[in-house]
Amino acid sequence: LASMIQHVNENRSGHILTMEDIGQGYGYILYRTDVQSPGTGRLVINDLRDYGVVFVNGKYAGSLDRRHRQNTLALTIDHPGILEILVENGGRINYGKKMTDNRKGITRTVSFNGHDLADWEIYPFRMEDISSIRFRHDGTASGPVLRRGTFMLDIPGDTFLDMGEWTKGCVWINGRNLGRYWSIGPQQTLYCPAVWLRRGDNE
């Protein structure tokens, strides 16, 4: 996340902003704030859309999934108390009465021990073009990361990637978004057409 943040525009706000508030339609959005009253208590995210991963002082603290109506986590926040919430847009509702209530990110408030948190740094990760992201080789990254590798082909052809040993994420082949995968299913293999591949090195 740290290296990705260097390549996105930071938005500062006293209160939570949705993806739409900052002109973002898809991808991920990172919310970061300093918790002024650290301690042990409950984090409440109201209203998360759609999947959030929570970090305290850079360490993974838990995840929340809108599909299961999850919005609270029990946390211990030590000083200095940096809270980060990475939210994934899971797609748009395209039917029924919820079509007009379709904002993404965190759409209302975040509180800890009953106190609303404020003074947010907000970073959009639109993921439309990943060519400007610089990768490092130091191997120290943890949590959500982008990983890059290459493979060789003598003859390109239709194929698929098996992501069954991975957890959750997206795949790009030669700069093209191949799709999402998730260990809970159903999609754990991703079809790749031959026209997106090339003879020699592929990224």
Side-chain angles (χ1 to χ4, degrees), residues 59 119 168 170 194:
K59 296 182 179 179
D119 300 323
K168 192 178 197 302
C170 301

Side-chain angles (χ1 to χ4, degrees), residues 114-187:
H115 300 287
D116 285 352
L117 301 179
D119 300 323
W120 293 92
E121 300 170 21
I122 304 171
Y123 301 88
F125 299 107
R126 295 178 174 85
M127 311 308 285
E128 295 165 351
D129 180 6
I130 62 170
S131 62
S132 65
I133 296 174
R134 283 177 280 181
F135 289 82
R136 299 184 310 208
H137 295 280
D138 58 14
T140 60
S142 62
V145 293
L146 287 174
R147 299 192 182 277
R148 181 175 63 179
T150 60
F151 57 92
M152 290 282 296
L153 286 178
D154 293 328
I155 302 175
D158 291 348
T159 188
F160 69 92
L161 294 182
D162 183 351
M163 306 303 297
E165 298 298 317
W166 292 62
T167 304
K168 192 178 197 302
C170 301
V171 175
W172 287 260
I173 292 285
N174 297 327
R176 296 178 180 269
N177 190 333
L178 204 61
R180 307 181 199 233
Y181 62 89
W182 197 352
S183 58
I184 68 171
Q187 186 156 297

